[in-house]
């Protein structure tokens, strides 16, 4: 995508100058202080990263390149006959910070189409694993197997200098992201279906192609859900476990394949991306327990019992958000439009009516509101995508759009190796004694 690269080069250059200026004039400006509590609480609330692709406002939710979700859905060029954006346009925005016109969005889509072919050995890696392997393991392995293709790694070995890095990271990123729907579909078909490889359709956009490759593109609303889903999950600033892991790994100049695989591994945890699988499992358990939709009173008792046993309610709470996740709202709007009577969706709404109140009453939960994972699985389930362990793969391929954009920016801004300092508990006690 020539245009995207050209605009990216322009913005990186401008941003480098701004950062040089800031470093020169405000090098000692204090951004954050860290307390002992924060160190023992997952560095929560300590601002120590600068990420330009997006920002999570605690009270408004995600802003991708400063656009809220409703704004984003409005400004990005739409896929054909669709209410939702082309993933190619979203990628252009993440990379450059500029809203693309249709031609620019389609140029990214066209670049992806040219690069979708997955080398045979990557499929063989997936094939070699036992059938019961978790799809997130397969996705991470497939991405890692693609590392053989890294242009950056080859050029680095030959000898290149810093200003050249980001361009090769961009090439690798385009090559990787082009293949992600193919990898996800291959994993799906191999694990749950007939196992045959279905090549991408040359006329379809990135998101619709995934639906096509798992033979679900005949349902236009499912295709719409995929387009929305891939936009919503793409980026969540720099500190979420996926982006944070990826950032650290790429700061060692590990190429985009090592970087993305590391991010996927972080996403696979139940407190993070796996929560969509866990939440759907939990919702189904509730339906099974009550033999249908429980009343609010029944549900409240059930939730309190779970909490008394020390269990987590998946899909609720957040490290940064202090409000309902706008990604939850966007998905609820789609369900409300097309299938308000769906039983699982009705349960999602009932849980939403009960759980925030119950969690608030505990007095310790900082955010009692639903996050994206409280609903995303229920929508996939509605369309018959009922292999819950696959859900995080969809989160993952979308999130790699944000992670690769963040990585290209990090290399383009010449960010150094990331390496914070650690001390022992004993040293901490000594510091306190001496204070
Ligand atoms: N159910 C039960 N307890 C909770 C929940 C919940 N959903 N959320 C927070 N708490 C508890 C938490 O375990 C902690 O208890 P304790 O002090 O006894 O250890 C207390 O409330 C304070 O935690 P917070 O400061 O509110 O939350 P924190 O920032 O540490 O963690 C999450 C954020 C997202 C890890 C946490 O809310 C959680 O485990 N939620 C459920 C899992 C989930 O939905 N994850 C997906 C997040 C979005 N994503 O896609 O990544
Ligand atoms: C995400 O989308 O990454 C999650 O909401 C978790 C986070 O932001 O910490």
């Amino acid at each position: 995508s020539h245009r995207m690269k050209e605009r990216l080069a322009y913005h990186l250059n401008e941003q480098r100058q701004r950062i040089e200026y800031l470093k020169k004039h405000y090098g000692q400006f204090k951004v954050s202080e860290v307390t002992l509590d924060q160190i023992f609480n997952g560095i929560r609330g300590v601002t120590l990263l600068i990420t330009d692709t997006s920002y999570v406002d605690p009270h408004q939710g995600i802003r991708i390149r400063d656009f809220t979700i409703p704004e984003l859905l409005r400004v990005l060029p739409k896929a054909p006959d669709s209410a939702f954006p082309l993933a190619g346009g979203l990628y252009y925005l993440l990379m450059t910070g500029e809203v693309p016109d249709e031609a620019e969005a389609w140029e990214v889509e066209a670049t992806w189409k040219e690069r979708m072919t997955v080398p045979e050995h990557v499929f063989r890696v997936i094939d070699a694993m036992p059938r019961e392997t978790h799809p997130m393991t397969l996705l991470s392995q497939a991405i890692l197997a693609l590392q053989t293709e890294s242009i950056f790694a080859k050029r680095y070995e030959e000898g290149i200098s810093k200003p050249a890095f980001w361009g090769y990271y961009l090439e690798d990123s385009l090559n990787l992201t082009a293949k992600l729907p193919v990898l996800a579909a291959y994993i799906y078909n191999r694990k749950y279906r007939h196992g045959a490889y279905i090549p991408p359709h040359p006329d379809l956009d990135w998101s619709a192609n995934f639906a096509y490759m798992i033979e679900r593109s005949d349902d236009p609303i499912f295709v719409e859900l995929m387009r929305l889903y891939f936009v919503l999950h793409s980026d969540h600033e720099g500190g979420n476990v996926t982006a944070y892991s990826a950032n650290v790994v790429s700061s060692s100049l590990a190429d985009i394949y090592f970087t993305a695989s590391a991010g996927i591994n972080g996403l696979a945890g139940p407190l993070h991306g796996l929560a969509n699988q866990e939440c759907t499992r939990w919702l189904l358990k509730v339906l099974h327990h009550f033999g249908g939709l429980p009343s609010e009173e029944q549900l409240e008792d059930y939730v309190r019992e779970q909490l008394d046993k020390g269990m987590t309610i998946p899909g609720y709470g957040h490290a940064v958000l202090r409000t309902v996740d706008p990604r939850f709202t966007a998905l609820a709007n789609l369900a409300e439009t097309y299938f308000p009577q769906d039983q699982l969706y009705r349960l999602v709404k009932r849980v939403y009516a009960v759980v925030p109140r119950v969690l608030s009453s505990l007095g310790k939960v900082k955010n009692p509101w639903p996050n994206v994972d409280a609903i995303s699985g229920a929508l996939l389930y509605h369309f018959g995508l009922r292999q819950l362990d696959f859900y995080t793969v969809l989160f993952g391929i979308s999130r790699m759009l944000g992670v690769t954009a963040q990585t290209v920016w990090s290399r383009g801004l010449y960010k150094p190796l990331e390496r914070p300092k650690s001390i022992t508990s004993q040293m901490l006690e000594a510091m306190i004694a001496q204070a």
Side-chain angles (χ1 to χ4, degrees), residues 50-362:
I50 302 291
T51 305
D52 289 312
T53 54
S54 69
Y55 167 69
V56 179
D57 183 309
H59 304 290
Q60 287 192 335
I62 183 69
R63 300 182 81 99
I64 291 184
R65 292 290 188 179
D66 212 26
F67 292 104
T68 63
I69 294 290
E71 288 166 355
L72 197 63
L73 296 179
R74 205 165 46 242
V75 300
L76 285 175
K78 307 294 177 290
D81 303 318
S82 167
F84 296 112
L86 286 163
L90 171 72
Y91 205 41
Y92 189 104
L93 175 69
L94 281 163
M95 281 285 185
T96 65
E98 292 178 7
V99 177
D101 60 22
E102 285 219 4
E104 288 161 338
W106 276 112
E107 203 193 3
V108 179
E109 292 276 346
T111 304
W112 275 338
K113 282 183 212 296
E114 288 161 13
R115 300 171 185 222
M116 279 184 167
T117 307
V118 172
E120 200 53 33
H121 74 271
V122 177
F123 292 139
R124 296 294 79 83
V125 167
I126 298 172
D127 294 344
M129 294 301 291
R131 204 57 165 225
E132 64 273 19
T133 309
H134 197 282
M136 285 298 277
T137 313
L138 299 177
L139 180 62
S140 181
Q141 288 176 308
I143 293 173
L144 203 53
L146 272 174
Q147 195 276 330
T148 51
E149 310 306 293
S150 175
I151 301 170
F152 172 77
K154 287 186 191 77
R155 294 289 172 274
Y156 191 82
E157 214 176 290
E158 289 161 15
I160 47 170
S161 63
K162 242 184 229 180
F165 292 174
W166 72 266
Y168 294 118
Y169 268 87
L170 176 65
E171 288 308 310
D172 279 349
S173 294
L174 283 162
N175 284 333
L176 169 62
T177 51
K179 296 171 181 59
L180 290 173
V182 182
L183 296 180
Y186 188 82
I187 290 168
Y188 187 82
N189 290 335
R190 163 151 167 90
K191 192 167 160 69
Y192 314 111
R193 300 180 69 235
H194 46 64
Y197 166 63
I198 300 170
H201 194 294
D203 298 337
L204 293 175
D205 56 278
W206 193 86
S207 308
N209 232 325
F210 169 73
Y212 170 80
M213 288 183 281
I214 61 163
E215 294 182 295
R216 285 178 177 277
S217 56
D218 49 348
D219 184 341
I221 309 303
F222 179 72
V223 178
E224 287 293 76
L225 172 63
M226 288 299 95
R227 291 192 178 115
L228 175 62
Y229 189 107
F230 292 142
V231 170
L232 294 181
H233 289 79
S234 61
D235 208 35
H236 221 234
E237 70 172 43
N240 68 76
V241 171
T242 309
Y244 191 44
S245 323
N247 284 335
V248 173
V249 168
S250 95
S251 83
S252 75
L253 300 186
D255 62 53
I256 206 71
Y257 300 97
F258 287 120
T259 299
S261 178
I264 290 294
N265 297 344
L267 192 68
L271 296 187
H272 187 26
L274 209 74
N276 55 14
Q277 164 189 319
E278 293 304 297
C279 181
T280 317
R281 201 189 301 289
W282 185 79
L283 293 170
L284 292 170
K285 210 170 82 180
V286 172
L287 281 185
H288 181 75
H289 180 82
F290 291 102
L293 206 60
S295 69
E296 286 195 15
E297 294 69 34
Q298 286 173 316
L299 192 57
E300 174 156 354
D301 291 344
Y302 186 84
V303 169
R304 285 195 189 277
E305 239 172 71
Q306 300 256 300
L307 291 168
D308 286 346
K309 286 187 205 147
M311 287 172 66
T312 300
I313 309 299
Y316 282 75
H318 201 273
V320 176
L321 289 173
R322 295 295 176 259
T323 189
V324 177
D325 189 336
R327 301 172 296 179
F328 174 91
T329 310
L331 289 168
N333 289 342
L334 187 137
E336 207 54 58
T337 306
Y338 294 109
F339 43 89
Q341 292 310 321
D342 177 273
Q343 195 184 38
L344 204 55
Y345 172 59
R346 288 179 66 205
L347 178 61
V348 166
K349 283 205 287 189
R350 196 149 294 178
V351 171
Y352 176 35
V354 168
V355 165
R357 178 162 31 94
V358 178
L359 287 180
S360 296
S361 73
L362 298 182

Side-chain angles (χ1 to χ4, degrees), residues 44 271-272 275 312-313 315-317 319 364-366 371 373 395:
R44 207 77 81 253
L271 296 187
H272 187 26
T312 300
I313 309 299
Y316 282 75
K364 65 171 185 180
V365 181
K366 301 212 182 50
N371 61 62
D373 300 318
F395 192 154

